[in-house]
Amino acid sequence: MNKTVLAAIIVVIAMLGATYLAVGSAGGMGGEGDWVNKLAVLGAVVLVIVTVFVVTKYVRQMQYDKASGKLADENWDGIGEYKNELPFGWAVIFLGLNIWAIWYFLAGYPVNAYSQIGEYNEEVAAHDAKFEEQHAGMDDETLKEMGGSIFIVQCAPCHGLQADGIEGKAANLNVRLEEKTVKHVINNGQGMLGYPAPMPDRNGLFNMNTGALITDAEIDAVAKYVAGGMKGTEGADVFAGTCAACHGVDGKGMEMVAPSVVDYNPTLVADVLKHGKKGAIGSMPAFNNLTEVQVKALGAYVTDLSK
Amino acid sequence: MFHWLEKHPFFFAVAVFVTIAFAGLIEILPNFAQASQPVVGTKPYTTLELAGRHVYIKNSCNACHSQLIRPFKSETDRYGHYSLSGEYAYDRPFLWGSKRTGPDLMRVGNYRTTDWHENHMKDPAGVVPGSIMPAYRWMFKNMADIDTAYAEQVTVNKVFAVPYNAEIPMADGSKETVKLAATLEEAHADALEEAKAIAADMKDQDVKDAVAAGQIPEIVAIIAYLNSLK
Amino acid sequence: MDNRPLEYDYTIAKMFMLTTVLLGIVGMLVGVILAWQLAFPGVNLMLGEGLAEYTNFSRLRPLHTDAVIFGFTLSGIWATWYYVGQRVLKVSMAESKFLMFLGKLHFALYLLVVVAVVGSLLMGITTSKEYAEFEWPIDIAVVVVWVIWGMSIFGLIGIRREKSLYISIWYYIATFLGIAMLYLFNNMAIPTYFASGGIGAWYHSVSMYSGTNDALVQWWYGHNAVAFGFTVPIVAMIYYFLPKESGQAVYSYKLSLLAFWGLMFVYLWAGGHHLLFSTVPDWMQTMGSVFSVVLILPSWGSAINMLLTMKGEWQQVAASPLIKFMILASTFYMFSTLEGPIQAIKSVNALAHFTDWIVGHVHDGVLGWVAFMIMAALFHMAPRVFKREIYSKSLMNTQFWIQTLGVVLYFTSMWIAGITQGMMWRAHDEFGNLAYSFIDTVTVLHPYYTIRAVGGTLYLIGMFLFAYNMYKTMTSARRVDESELQTASPMGA
Ligand code: HEM
Ligand code: HEM
Ligand SMILES: [Ca+2]
Ligand SMILES: [Ca+2]
Ligand SMILES: [Cu+2]
């Protein structure tokens, strides 16, 4: 075989190999039948093959052909010009493409017949249809798994891959509450999770045991107690006297009254996602673009984290 | 005919010019006829936000970040609703970008907050391990240029009738007004008010001190801008 | 016409040759720095924390693009114009004091603009529009420089002896007109200092267009800045330097003609391919897409014309590194003008847009085609303007292979990076949620960014070899006389 053609084939194989490696590792990513992915790869392949072989064709002409033709009368700085005809293939393709373009524009895909938003709506509908059934009947384990994968994309930028809050930059979701958060809430009150009545600040928090407003020492004690998962005895009396009225004796919260302070639960997570959260650590935006299943999934995942 | 043109440079040039100008007209004019109308809820930038936008441009954030959400499921999942033409009505220049080395920022105000930006701009890899975004620590020291932002507000209000001090319909049916200060001093005072609200959510002591002393560091302005992207 | 050979005056050509080499090195050095920064972000702090404001990726990126486009490429265009123009019009600059004066003024003002641009970009004074970053005071200076060049072109044409215009001249004229029109419209802006009665920075301006309209004008400009900066004038060069260096006649006048007018007609319509799936009307996008595909043919027309000009001349290609540069340039021209249309197909663009595949496309065009052709042109000109042979042929060969390897590493790595990233962005997992966080799609690129940086560094090394070779040619290579300069350039070992 001719050396040039051989070289061309080697180049093509090398380039296609490189593409294959890229697509081989990224290939599964598109999911079955993502024709955008396929077309892009096909484009890359066509690009290499066509260029290499067309250029090879002309290189072979350099090697084996002879220049010929009728020279024009003019001559510029010693440069002559042949009056050769157009290369046939080029001329035919040029003409063909022009006709194709006119056809495409006027008849094939008339300019007003396509709408990218229409196409988007179809894409979304198809996507939703594909997952509708799966999403309807998910057990807790699957929800958790799904939640984990949403978490990495949507939440990890703040909470970190380990959900540890990246050294205090956001809430550490592996533990329910930290001392400084509890203190902050007691001192300032809080009312953003959508409960009918907000939690009052320290000027509204009576300790039934003492019959007086909560004191600094009591705040320290109860904060430690809550952050420690309501274990031990220190601060327990303050909690019982001050907080249990709303958060329940066991701290698990009461519907329509106050959230749990001992564990995460799907409702709490859903409330946070719906309203966002601003507190001692910083602020978290609301996530209203998530679907119902996604919220449920995140709820399952986050609940599981601190167990 | 072509041979004749090649001997008559003036006509040759005219022919070339007509050929290239023609396509330009068809490509550009039709869209101008229906100039960008703002969609409901699109507001002009406040002085501080505009100053932040200048910081964004000054540092060519658009070299890595797009502000254009294309209508694909994968993009709307990641960034939110696809972009609408009218949302850009007050963007001069547009900042769509052409390369996404970093994520799209068209609606970053929806899912990031002041304190996050503060941490991230100071040390991106500290927040997002593996990030290749440069740290922008000098923004905590340099002061934002409020004068120029105000000059631009005055200009677009005067020349392009950008609706400052006018009621703007919001999506929920309410109306909002974005103020254009009457004087430069007033603009500074207003911007400082806005800056204080942002600095309150920040931790950097130098920044807090600067704002308390009546100055506005670039970081405060750019966070105001990023928060406004919704 | 008298028989004495004309003494062409290359003063201005030499000046622009100098800036071509210098700004080429500066621009590509910055490009290499950018490449390493993306692979290893620590490089953002290369001069320390204190100077990071001026050395970080985002501040330097516009400096790279503008230095290579308006520094390296434009200098190359002008260096060749002030050389080719005289020769194919058969008239010497020395014949007109006025044109000589214009030429010198052109160069002097150009230098001023370069200094202003470098300064202002480092300061962060930019309008953010790609390849049109300059603020209005610089824009005005640019327009003045451009008008001077125009006067110089048409002045020279006015006193020409060669009645009909050579192909290269068509392309230079088109470059002049195209950029003039595009630049003016895209840079329309209102200086806020004056409009607000003296408030704020005096150099600041606000675009005349907003949002989608602004984008449309910008990419009408951006796309055609590529056309009239990276394609048209470079084609002008190859049409002169390849036939001249090889002594072959241009293969087909008809093909030259059709390719030229085809390019002029089709190019402008294709700008929409930068705005696919954006908020510009659907039909405009479709138009950009369709015309991009048609554009393959006029582009390939010129490239094929040049390859066919070398018909039967393989021994020249094998023997001369100078011709190798030009043949590879046409090949890369074909490659990137097929790649572009493929990327302009909507569904391909859905994946490729915003990714490194575009950056790969850019650089197989600019490194393989633009820069190769400009360097070949300078190599051909050097013996003729300095009256010395090219200092070293083997150095030239070395440069050729190093840089070819550099380009190949650059575009293959970016090609893989782009497709990988594009696919990862689009991917959904088995639950129908996004499969990858954004940062996953960044860290996966690290190896490719590193390979690209290596490729870029190789290319830059080639630039240094080039500069050294040119310097030696200018100062100490063997002197040659006119008779050795008819066709193939004389080269030392
Ligand atoms: C037939 C000819 C060509 C067509 C149809 C074409 C098409 C394209 C397309 C579709 C894009 C990507 C737009 C995007 O998605 O962001 C692009 C970008 C680009 N092309 Fe080409 N291309 C062609 C030739 C060239 C050549 C020869 C060069 C340079 C030598 C070049 C330089 C560029 C540059 C610099 C960009 C990047 C623009 C940006 O900043 O986003 N193109 N081209
Ligand atoms: C040593 C050689 C070079 C290296 C290493 C290099 C590197 C780079 C890098 C890293 C970028 C930024 C890409 C990104 O944002 O992801 C870039 C952009 C760019 N470079 Fe280069 N470059 C080189 C030479 C050139 C030359 C010679 C030209 C033109 C003549 C050029 C024109 C451009 C353009 C137009 C862009 C913008 C592309 C876009 O926005 O899509 N580069 N280059
Ligand atoms: Ca770009
Ligand atoms: Ca400008
Ligand atoms: Cu283009």
Side-chain angles (χ1 to χ4, degrees), chain A:
Chain A
M1 199 190 310
N2 177 286
K3 254 178 25 197
T4 321
V5 178
L6 193 69
I9 291 175
I10 292 174
V11 169
V12 167
I13 292 177
M15 303 281 283
L16 295 188
T19 314
Y20 178 77
L21 282 181
V23 181
S25 61
M29 294 165 183
E32 318 284 274
D34 189 336
W35 45 279
V36 165
N37 289 355
K38 290 193 177 127
L39 214 70
V41 174
L42 182 72
V45 170
V46 166
L47 167 61
V48 174
I49 295 183
V50 171
T51 313
V52 170
F53 284 101
V54 170
V55 171
T56 305
K57 170 183 143 92
Y58 292 108
V59 166
R60 284 174 60 88
Q61 293 197 18
M62 289 176 205
Q63 290 170 326
Y64 303 110
D65 229 341
K66 272 248 109 26
S68 61
K70 219 160 100 45
L71 276 172
D73 302 334
E74 279 125 332
N75 177 300
W76 297 265
D77 193 22
I79 300 176
E81 199 176 57
Y82 288 117
K83 292 183 172 173
N84 283 329
E85 278 307 313
L86 299 174
F88 183 71
W90 184 87
V92 168
I93 300 178
F94 193 21
L95 197 69
L97 270 185
N98 276 304
I99 295 170
W100 167 81
I102 294 168
W103 168 82
Y104 191 100
F105 235 63
L106 299 181
Y109 297 87
V111 286
N112 53 355
Y114 170 81
S115 149
Q116 63 182 24
I117 301 304
E119 191 174 81
Y120 170 73
N121 292 337
E122 284 169 21
E123 186 196 356
V124 172
H127 187 275
D128 289 349
K130 185 169 160 197
F131 291 100
E132 198 181 321
E133 210 175 313
Q134 185 194 10
H135 286 175
M138 276 202 190
D139 61 27
D140 220 43
E141 271 313 299
T142 340
L143 273 177
K144 243 188 284 179
E145 206 182 315
M146 171 163 163
S149 87
I150 303 171
F151 190 87
I152 288 173
V153 176
Q154 307 278 357
C155 319
C158 295
H159 291 279
L161 283 172
Q162 262 63 52
D164 57 3
I166 324 179
E167 293 164 16
K169 295 194 177 74
N172 177 352
L173 301 177
N174 298 304
V175 298
R176 172 62 186 98
L177 285 162
E178 288 173 54
E179 219 177 300
K180 79 167 180 189
T181 304
V182 183
K183 274 193 196 161
H184 181 85
V185 174
I186 298 176
N187 281 319
N188 304 293
Q190 185 180 291
M192 47 188 328
L193 295 182
Y195 287 88
M199 164 155 161
D201 64 15
R202 56 183 304 168
N203 298 318
L205 290 172
F206 277 96
N207 187 340
M208 311 285 205
N209 301 336
T210 60
L213 283 179
I214 193 167
T215 65
D216 281 342
E218 286 166 356
I219 293 178
D220 283 350
V222 79
K224 228 181 232 122
Y225 176 69
V226 172
M230 297 181 58
K231 296 195 180 79
T233 50
E234 205 185 333
D237 54 332
V238 187
F239 191 87
T242 315
C243 322
C246 298
H247 290 281
V249 213
D250 55 359
K252 289 214 177 241
M254 290 191 252
E255 213 175 320
M256 298 296 281
V257 180
S260 163
V261 290
V262 287
D263 54 10
Y264 284 109
N265 54 60
T267 325
L268 175 61
V269 174
D271 283 343
V272 172
L273 290 175
K274 179 152 177 236
H275 301 284
K277 182 96 201 299
K278 185 167 176 174
I281 304 171
S283 43
M284 162 165 161
F287 277 78
N288 290 316
N289 59 336
L290 297 172
T291 63
E292 228 170 279
V293 213
Q294 287 176 320
V295 172
K296 257 167 69 185
L298 283 168
Y301 177 73
V302 174
T303 303
D304 188 55
L305 278 175
S306 56
K307 270 197 183 135

Side-chain angles (χ1 to χ4, degrees), chain B residues 66-127:
Chain B
S66 57
Q67 287 189 28
L68 176 75
I69 304 170
R70 297 177 295 168
F72 307 140
K73 178 85 170 108
S74 55
E75 297 213 350
T76 53
D77 278 1
R78 201 182 289 281
Y79 306 119
H81 198 283
Y82 53 78
S83 305
L84 300 172
S85 184
E87 296 179 277
Y88 300 111
Y90 306 123
D91 277 13
R92 292 169 195 271
F94 79 115
L95 288 173
W96 293 0
S98 65
K99 177 77 212 303
R100 258 185 209 156
T101 305
D104 191 276
L105 299 179
M106 170 101 187
R107 305 193 193 284
V108 72
N110 284 337
Y111 48 85
R112 297 287 179 267
T113 49
T114 299
D115 47 301
W116 191 86
H117 287 308
E118 179 186 13
N119 292 328
H120 184 252
M121 297 300 285
K122 209 178 238 173
D123 179 16
V127 181

Side-chain angles (χ1 to χ4, degrees), chain C residues 127 132 134 139 187:
Chain C
T127 63
F134 318 143
D139 286 341
N187 281 291

Side-chain angles (χ1 to χ4, degrees), chain C residues 43-66:
Chain C
V43 183
N44 282 296
L45 301 176
M46 63 194 168
L47 298 184
E49 186 72 59
L51 288 175
E53 176 169 5
Y54 310 101
T55 61
N56 78 88
F57 179 89
S58 59
R59 200 54 83 73
L60 288 182
R61 193 185 193 272
L63 195 62
H64 166 61
T65 54
D66 288 335

Side-chain angles (χ1 to χ4, degrees), chain C residues 22-155:
Chain C
L22 286 183
L23 294 170
I25 287 185
V26 171
M28 291 187 221
L29 175 64
V30 178
V32 169
I33 294 172
L34 296 180
W36 286 108
Q37 284 173 334
L38 289 181
F40 301 94
V43 183
N44 282 296
L45 301 176
M46 63 194 168
L47 298 184
E49 186 72 59
L51 288 175
E53 176 169 5
Y54 310 101
T55 61
N56 78 88
F57 179 89
S58 59
R59 200 54 83 73
L60 288 182
R61 193 185 193 272
L63 195 62
H64 166 61
T65 54
D66 288 335
V68 289
I69 298 173
F70 299 110
F72 170 69
T73 308
L74 203 50
S75 285
I77 294 169
W78 284 335
T80 58
W81 160 257
Y82 282 107
Y83 177 92
V84 175
Q86 301 182 62
R87 299 187 66 119
V88 299
L89 295 169
K90 226 180 210 173
V91 52
S92 170
M93 290 280 288
E95 292 173 59
S96 161
K97 281 217 171 58
F98 178 63
L99 287 180
M100 273 312 283
F101 167 74
L102 271 188
K104 285 176 186 157
L105 186 64
H106 179 185
F107 184 72
L109 284 179
Y110 172 69
L111 279 190
L112 278 181
V113 173
V114 169
V115 172
V117 162
V118 172
S120 70
L121 289 181
L122 281 176
M123 303 266 296
I125 299 171
T126 159
T127 63
S128 90
K129 288 190 176 187
E130 272 184 279
Y131 322 125
E133 284 88 357
F134 318 143
E135 273 291 4
W136 66 271
I138 297 183
D139 286 341
I140 291 177
V142 169
V143 170
V144 171
V145 170
W146 206 256
V147 169
I148 292 174
W149 182 41
M151 290 164 69
S152 171
I153 296 180
F154 288 101

